Amino acid sequence: MSAGVELKITAGGESGSGVGTADVLELPLDLPLLEWPAGYLAALPRGISRHVVRFVRLPGMVVAMKETTDAAAHHEYGLLRQLRRLEVPCVEPVAVISGRTTAEGDPLPTMLVTRHLAFSLPYRAVFSQQLTRDTLTRLIDALALLLVQLHLEGFYWGDVSLSNALFRRDAGAFAAYLVDAETGELHGNLSRGQREHDLEIARVNIAGELMDLQGGGMIEADVDPLGTSELIMAAYRSLWDELTADMTFSASERWRIEDRIRRLNELGFDVEEYALRPRAGGSELVLQPKVVDPGHHTRRLERLTGLRVQENQARRLLHDLDEYRAEVHPGLDEHEAAHYWTTEVFEPMVAAIPEHLKGKLEPAEVMHQLLEHRWYLSERAQRSVSLQEALDSYLAEVLPARRDEDAIVLNPTTSMLSAVNPEDAETPPRRAEEPPSDH
């Protein structure tokens, strides 16, 4: 740094995860990010960005560093902190580094620092050779759900796209996380016009992204970019209406309140508050959900086991936990049974994963795939395959073939593109029947 120039570090990460000043001073801050030596960088797959973004290794963490304007960096840092407090899926802000100059004293852009989201991928890195229609639909559904969650909290995104989100596998589906909040605004609530404008931005951006992929032969030939981009509007509106629309019923049909709440629970939402008002002279009632909170299954699993996973993963693990309780410990309450399931089923499975395979997938995703694999083995063998037998087969035949989704390629000569498009065998879709259970 040049003499007389003050380097400013705004830091406030969660749970002690803020970047240390000493660690920052070890970085080549007097160079543009594009010129940083490879020894500082982690070769992880990157999405498309209008800014220069690099993954950087620091003690105890990998961070994404983005060069931008000072105002934009502080604005995005503040928004991400607010969204994290609201428990909206987004990357964790770590610091803003400003006041950088070259060795000659020329100013350099401010940098926003966020923690790398483990096991996450930009949408281009989700597939291998071609993006299939099914995978594309699941990505768009995940983005629609994220947009609904943001809008419920009063957040206007302003630049909705596949590129501005990261995706984590979630028991056959995907979970989307906001990664770029630079154009965002947080309000008390959003008008219909603001929500529809975000939707239109999403439609246009997704259509453009798919046209770009189509031009490179990276999506199936029969995928219509314009028609496919409309999927997010249908998915968003259907979910928004289910979560927020009024429901009218007669005074004698109060059971429909519980039915509506149960349906929302199945979608993964808790109803924290609702309003009832009379209609038509008191012969009818109108139910209006007031506060809906995503993460119903995630919270239940965490309450029972202490495990914090994605929503669909939680749904899948809870199903296995409930089966385990019914078959192995039918006399125990769910908290006691959950303890035994965690110590007798989940933890031994995690411990059995060899060290060199631990970076392949999150443990909860491995558990989901293991349960799926057991079902396929049982179907093929026409008998109930034990979990241990399925685990042996899965570790020998399935998991080693997957790419490392949490791996950091430390070889500076490795191409970034090679980290984006490795072979990736998708989990086959689940059949309608549930797999046989044999704990």
Side-chain angles (χ1 to χ4, degrees):
M1 303 296 299
S2 301
V5 174
E6 180 182 2
L7 180 69
K8 299 178 182 178
I9 303 173
T10 302
E14 302 159 20
S15 305
S17 63
V19 63
T21 302
D23 300 331
V24 171
L25 295 178
E26 292 295 321
L27 300 173
L29 299 176
D30 59 346
L31 293 175
L33 197 50
L34 271 176
E35 299 176 13
W36 281 26
Y40 292 95
L41 305 180
L44 291 167
R46 297 193 305 269
I48 298 173
S49 174
R50 68 177 70 89
H51 303 287
V52 176
V53 179
R54 292 292 182 269
F55 289 106
V56 176
R57 287 178 284 117
L58 293 174
M61 75 173 87
V62 175
V63 297
M65 290 189 158
K66 177 172 74 173
E67 288 186 332
T68 183
T69 66
D70 192 70
H74 282 92
H75 171 73
E76 187 169 4
Y77 176 81
L79 275 178
L80 289 173
R81 293 195 68 183
Q82 289 178 282
L83 291 175
R84 294 284 294 188
R85 283 194 289 268
L86 293 170
E87 298 187 344
V88 171
C90 66
V91 293
E92 178 188 342
V94 175
V96 174
I97 302 174
S98 57
R100 297 192 304 140
T101 64
T102 65
E104 293 75 28
D106 298 324
L108 289 170
T110 294
M111 292 197 297
L112 172 68
V113 185
T114 57
R115 179 186 281 270
H116 167 60
L117 183 63
F119 295 100
S120 68
L121 297 167
Y123 77 98
R124 286 171 171 259
V126 168
F127 53 98
S128 58
Q129 306 306 318
Q130 279 193 331
L131 183 61
T132 66
R133 183 190 300 274
D134 175 65
T135 303
L136 180 56
T137 300
R138 286 183 287 149
L139 289 175
I140 290 176
D141 284 345
L143 189 62
L145 174 58
L146 174 61
L147 191 56
V148 167
Q149 292 176 261
L150 291 167
H151 285 177
L152 287 171
E153 297 294 347
F155 181 81
Y156 170 76
W157 196 340
D159 195 13
V160 190
S161 69
L162 294 170
S163 297
N164 285 339
L166 289 172
F167 297 90
R168 295 170 94 173
R169 298 189 187 278
D170 186 11
F174 290 97
Y177 286 72
L178 179 145
V179 71
D180 190 328
E182 186 173 319
T183 57
E185 301 170 3
L186 196 57
H187 303 271
N189 53 69
L190 297 182
S191 68
R192 179 182 177 87
Q194 287 172 310
R195 293 191 297 105
E196 287 294 322
H197 191 238
D198 247 357
L199 264 183
E200 179 62 18
I201 291 171
R203 185 188 67 80
V204 171
N205 282 345
I206 291 173
E209 289 167 328
L210 297 186
M211 287 178 183
D212 179 54
L213 292 177
Q214 192 174 59
M218 300 172 73
I219 56 176
E220 291 179 334
D222 61 346
V223 172
D224 173 17
L226 294 177
T228 304
S229 69
E230 299 281 349
L231 293 177
I232 192 169
M233 306 187 85
Y236 173 95
R237 287 172 178 153
S238 174
L239 182 55
W240 183 267
D241 288 345
E242 184 65 41
L243 293 174
T244 64
D246 292 355
M247 181 181 76
T248 303
F249 57 96
S250 70
S252 63
E253 296 179 311
R254 292 179 181 270
W255 58 269
R256 293 184 62 188
I257 298 174
E258 184 63 29
D259 185 63
R260 176 77 180 274
I261 292 174
R262 187 180 299 112
R263 195 161 68 245
L264 292 175
N265 289 165
E266 282 301 306
L267 288 172
F269 287 80
D270 283 321
V271 181
E272 302 290 344
E273 180 184 338
Y274 61 86
L276 284 174
R277 65 177 187 271
R279 179 179 175 185
S283 62
E284 290 184 333
L285 295 172
V286 177
L287 170 68
Q288 179 187 29
K290 302 287 286 185
V291 179
V292 289
D293 195 11
H296 171 76
H297 299 96
T298 296
R299 281 189 293 274
R300 183 186 168 214
L301 184 69
E302 185 173 23
R303 185 172 65 250
L304 291 174
T305 67
L307 299 173
R308 181 75 175 179
V309 303
Q310 310 291 337
E311 180 67 12
N312 288 320
Q313 290 169 348
R315 189 196 311 265
R316 185 69 181 94
L317 299 190
L318 284 167
H319 179 79
D320 191 65
L321 191 161
D322 290 339
E323 281 191 342
Y324 169 84
R325 177 190 176 193
E327 296 174 12
V328 183
H329 297 292
L332 299 183
D333 68 25
E334 66 174 8
H335 288 276
E336 291 179 292
H339 167 73
Y340 283 110
W341 177 86
T342 304
T343 57
E344 295 178 357
V345 178
F346 185 80
E347 289 179 351
M349 183 279 299
V350 173
I353 302 173
E355 194 65 35
H356 69 283
L357 297 179
K358 289 186 183 296
K360 296 287 186 178
L361 294 168
E362 292 178 279
E365 188 66 19
V366 171
M367 186 68 189
H368 157 70
Q369 292 197 5
L370 173 61
L371 295 172
E372 295 285 280
H373 186 61
R374 181 180 64 176
W375 184 76
Y376 289 115
L377 292 178
S378 298
E379 184 184 56
R380 187 171 65 190
Q382 293 298 295
R383 64 177 176 83
S384 293
V385 171
S386 71
L387 192 64
Q388 183 60 53
E389 186 179 351
L391 178 62
D392 292 341
S393 170
Y394 180 78
L395 293 179
E397 303 170 13
V398 180
L399 190 58
R402 298 197 64 91
R403 68 164 161 223
D404 289 5
E405 295 193 354
D406 194 38
I408 301 168
V409 183
L410 300 180
N411 183 351
T413 64
T414 299
S415 165
M416 188 65 71
L417 187 59
S418 68
V420 173
N421 289 321
E423 290 297 328
D424 179 31
E426 290 285 348
T427 302
R430 173 198 285 262
R431 293 267 296 277
E433 302 87 0
E434 285 297 326
S437 177
D438 180 10
H439 287 287

